[in-house]
Amino acid sequence: LLVGIVRAWTRLGGRRRPDILHSHTLRTSVPATMLGRVLRRPVIATEHWTALLPGTDDLTPRELHLAGRAYDRADLVLPVGPSLAAAIGDLAPEATIEVVQNAVDEATFRPALTGRTLPPRFVVVGKLIARKRFDVVLRALAMLHHTHPDVALDVVGDGPEAGALEHLATELDLGSSCTFRGALPKADVASILQAGTALVVSSTSETFSVVAAEALCCGIPVLTGRCGGPEHFVDEGSGFVIEPMNESMLAQYMATAVEQTWDAAAISAAAAKQFGLTAIAERLSAVYERVTAR
């Protein structure tokens, strides 16, 4: 990774030292802090990785040690959410930390030009892996059908759990009310969100949840459990934080989401102000000004 950074610098000319090194993953933050010391330039480390949250056990003790040293040496660490900020603070007590969320292209993720389609449709988006717990959403949909038989679900994404989830949908007799869309380009995801009733985030752990921010920018509410990410920006005007996240409780909140009237324009405007490209660019620009002025 260190050699890769040097090669990239050389391809860009290599005659002038960069003003800032800004890494965006843990494994690039380690060589970035090393190179920053050599070049005597500030290093900013943006972090997104769920593996750093407590209880995930995805990193070895050596990797955690290297991460802590890199974060302590960086001039500024920018986790994308408060839960990740707390985890990094425990790992690197000397680190300077400031939360800067992920950005959403509000030109793509915006409210629908026409009204929502009927019947009501919920949406889940993400890699089909065990941590996302999309099985909970399928079971909740089956329970919801006792009172709202016309409600449907779009599952967007692919992954190792695809076969098991499709089998579960058959077992639950969901039929055409559950559609597996596979992995889709951003524009198609935006179209599905724009037509949706609400997004469901059923994950056990998230550092932010980009799709939750995208859904809000589209003006639809978000139903989420406390997983480390979206509960920090979903409020009573933009969705529900569900405790505990299980199929029975989720089914109740899905029914409420269908029956409740939501202000799509207000949800979208608030989300764009918080997560839009311009908003996040302004925050990063301020960060760059600050670290280079030291």
Side-chain angles (χ1 to χ4, degrees):
L1 286 170
L2 183 58
V3 170
I5 292 174
V6 173
R7 285 178 177 170
W9 177 32
T10 303
R11 284 186 182 182
L12 292 171
R15 292 177 295 276
R16 180 175 179 271
R17 288 186 296 173
D19 297 303
I20 302 168
L21 282 81
H22 189 168
S23 69
H24 283 266
T25 69
L26 168 59
R27 289 181 174 136
T28 55
S29 295
V30 175
T33 53
M34 294 168 62
L35 192 59
R37 287 200 166 192
V38 171
L39 297 177
R40 296 182 182 179
R41 286 294 187 264
V43 176
I44 297 172
T46 287
E47 190 50 71
H48 314 251
W49 204 5
T50 310
L52 290 161
L53 293 176
T56 54
D57 298 325
D58 291 333
L59 296 176
T60 66
R62 174 173 172 74
E63 287 174 317
L64 289 170
H65 174 71
L66 287 172
R69 290 188 64 186
Y71 294 142
D72 279 335
R73 290 177 176 177
D75 292 78
L76 188 60
V77 183
L78 305 179
V80 293
S83 296
L84 185 55
I88 291 173
D90 291 340
L91 189 64
E94 296 179 19
T96 302
I97 299 171
E98 179 178 336
V99 173
V100 176
Q101 297 102 329
N102 283 301
V104 175
D105 181 0
E106 66 269 44
T108 299
F109 293 92
R110 62 186 189 278
L113 297 177
T114 58
R116 302 266 183 256
T117 58
L118 292 174
R121 298 191 72 87
F122 287 86
V123 184
V124 295
V125 181
K127 193 171 183 181
L128 305 188
I129 55 177
R131 177 172 62 82
K132 297 293 186 179
R133 292 308 310 270
F134 290 150
D135 60 302
V136 172
V137 187
L138 295 181
R139 296 182 193 280
L141 178 65
M143 296 180 69
L144 183 61
H145 277 175
H146 294 304
T147 55
H148 297 73
D150 60 338
V151 173
L153 174 70
D154 284 309
V155 180
V156 180
D158 58 18
E161 293 288 311
L165 290 170
E166 290 175 6
H167 179 72
L168 178 60
T170 301
E171 270 191 350
L172 295 171
D173 197 25
L174 296 179
S176 61
S177 66
C178 180
T179 305
F180 289 85
R181 303 283 185 183
L184 296 174
K186 285 284 188 182
D188 292 344
V189 175
S191 295
I192 290 173
L193 289 172
Q194 288 164 351
T197 301
L199 175 84
V200 180
V201 179
S202 51
S203 303
T204 57
S205 58
E206 293 286 346
T207 58
F208 176 69
S209 183
V210 171
V211 70
E214 291 170 343
L216 295 179
C217 284
C218 287
I220 70 169
V222 173
L223 282 58
T224 181
R226 288 197 178 277
C227 55
E231 70 268 27
H232 295 292
F233 55 83
V234 171
D235 58 30
E236 61 183 12
S238 62
F240 301 116
V241 179
I242 302 168
E243 297 183 89
M245 172 59 87
N246 57 46
E247 50 261 37
S248 177
M249 191 70 70
L250 178 56
Q252 293 178 39
Y253 278 95
M254 289 170 77
T256 303
V258 168
E259 295 158 4
Q260 185 165 321
T261 300
W262 301 92
D263 188 338
I267 292 173
S268 177
K273 185 176 180 181
Q274 188 172 7
F275 311 121
L277 295 180
T278 300
I280 300 302
E282 287 176 351
R283 290 201 62 190
L284 287 176
S285 181
V287 165
Y288 293 160
E289 293 272 358
R290 198 161 68 243
V291 299
T292 53
R294 291 175 183 173

